[in-house]
Amino acid sequence: MGSIWVAIAIFLCLLSASLVMMHLYPKLAARHRDEDTNTVVRLVANIFVVMTSLVFGLMINSAKNTFEAIDANVHTYATSLIILDRSLSTYGQAANDSRMRLQTYVEEAIANPYRGDQALLHQKSTAAKYLDAVGVALNLITPVDRFHESMMVDIRQQYHGIIEQRWKIVEQSEGSIPGPLIGMLVAWMTLIFASLGYRAPQNPMVIAMFTASAFLIAASVYLVLDMNVPFHGPIQVSDAPLRRALAEMQL
């Protein structure tokens, strides 16, 4: 939701800057409308165009890296779940209860994904309760011989690895683009649009172009910010790996 408000604010700032400058230009004194002043305005705008391009490119790269890292971690997590299920199946009937609890956890994790910001709102994960139940069920298993004892040690290590992977994904689910950087980017783009409105002709075509440009830039920033938070908004990390893991468990 925060990304939407940022995009709306960007759209209003850019459009307002261009239209206000377009409206004020004819009212400026003659010395503020001469060719030398226009040249300086364009040169300053070009400086900020370059800076904005560099910073926006860095934001895109940061959001892309965050999204790809979490997507890779989700695939690894799903693989670990499949391996744990196979290990429980190999262990024997004594581990059937743990297997069923693991399947229930995956079903709940798919239906109700948990995000890092929910902990700040003091909201507990229902899926985590089922994952904790898997650990409880594992602790109740008593190996009958040294072979099963060795297997159980390995299974419990796999389980603790899954716990660690899960919390790593949860903690990575929030974005890493700092707010002041976004504010500075908005200020630079506002200055650029104001310079574009300077000496721009007042006609419907120019106004339409300013409106469309402001909207597309705001939409681009929104998509970057949304991609930086991979479990919210229209661009999200796919839960297909978990669904495939669940299908493997149910075979």
Side-chain angles (χ1 to χ4, degrees), residues 18-211:
S18 58
L19 296 183
V20 168
M21 184 57 69
M22 183 191 301
H23 177 73
L24 289 179
Y25 176 77
K27 301 179 181 180
L28 296 175
R31 67 179 184 278
H32 297 312
R33 293 185 284 118
D34 58 23
E35 192 60 33
D36 290 339
T37 302
N38 179 59
T39 301
V40 173
V41 170
R42 297 299 182 188
L43 288 175
V44 173
N46 288 337
I47 293 174
F48 284 105
V49 166
V50 174
M51 296 177 64
T52 300
S53 300
L54 291 174
V55 172
F56 192 57
L58 291 174
M59 287 176 56
I60 294 175
N61 186 62
S62 175
K64 173 179 173 293
N65 291 339
T66 299
F67 188 90
E68 290 180 346
I70 295 182
D71 184 64
N73 288 338
V74 170
H75 280 79
T76 302
Y77 185 62
T79 302
S80 298
L81 290 171
I82 294 174
I83 293 174
L84 177 59
D85 178 73
R86 291 293 181 266
S87 298
L88 292 172
S89 176
T90 304
Y91 187 89
Q93 293 185 354
N96 285 345
D97 182 54
S98 298
R99 287 193 68 196
M100 295 303 299
R101 292 175 186 268
L102 184 63
Q103 291 183 24
T104 303
Y105 159 70
V106 177
E107 292 173 353
E108 184 65 23
I110 294 173
N112 299 294
Y114 186 67
R115 302 176 176 90
D117 56 350
Q118 291 178 261
L120 299 176
L121 300 175
H122 303 287
Q123 298 177 358
K124 294 183 178 180
S125 169
T126 54
K129 297 178 181 178
Y130 292 104
L131 188 57
D132 292 339
V134 175
V136 173
L138 290 177
N139 291 331
L140 295 177
I141 298 176
T142 302
V144 294
D145 51 40
R146 298 185 68 86
F147 172 72
H148 285 84
E149 182 178 354
S150 177
M151 286 189 61
M152 183 52 58
V153 170
D154 183 57
I155 289 173
R156 286 170 180 165
Q157 288 178 347
Q158 293 178 29
Y159 171 75
H160 289 297
I162 286 175
I163 295 291
E164 181 179 352
Q165 291 174 6
R166 176 184 179 274
W167 280 110
K168 184 177 181 180
I169 293 172
V170 169
E171 292 300 323
Q172 288 179 327
S173 63
E174 293 305 305
S176 58
I177 297 178
L181 181 62
I182 298 173
M184 186 62 68
L185 184 68
V186 174
W188 292 345
M189 291 191 295
T190 301
L191 181 61
I192 293 170
F193 266 69
S195 68
L196 294 176
Y198 181 78
R199 295 190 70 174
Q202 297 186 29
N203 60 62
M205 179 59 68
V206 172
I207 294 175
M209 289 301 298
F210 279 141
T211 303

Side-chain angles (χ1 to χ4, degrees), residues 3 6-8 10-11 14 213-223:
S3 300
V6 171
I8 293 174
I10 291 175
F11 173 74
L14 301 187
S213 300
F215 174 78
L216 292 175
I217 290 176
S220 300
V221 175
Y222 168 74
L223 291 178

